[in-house]
Amino acid sequence: MVTELLMQWGPGPGPGGHGGGPFWIFGLVWMVLIASLIVTAIYAILRRTRRPSATESARTILAERYARGELSGEEYRERLGELR
């Protein structure tokens, strides 16, 4: 039985008359390629659907304005407190 499996999946002609040997690597490469495409598609969909909330956007804008010097520290803290 073991020898039958080795003959079937080992080097040499395999099932269906196809050549054996290291050509199984191509099947593995295709599986990895398909899996990576699926994972990339799922990541892109999830990333696109998640949008920051209005509060997160307001905090980001407020932090940018503070970093540019448009707001003093006191104004920044006051407005940030209003967002909570």
Side-chain angles (χ1 to χ4, degrees), residues 2-54:
V2 173
T3 55
E4 292 173 7
L5 287 174
L6 288 174
M7 288 177 61
Q8 198 174 30
W9 297 105
H18 299 292
F23 296 107
W24 60 270
I25 293 174
F26 294 116
L28 180 64
V29 168
W30 275 110
M31 287 190 324
V32 168
L33 179 66
I34 291 170
S36 64
L37 288 174
I38 291 171
V39 168
T40 302
I42 291 172
Y43 175 76
I45 290 169
L46 291 177
R47 188 167 181 230
R48 182 178 293 169
T49 57
R50 189 201 175 277
R51 308 234 168 148
S53 69

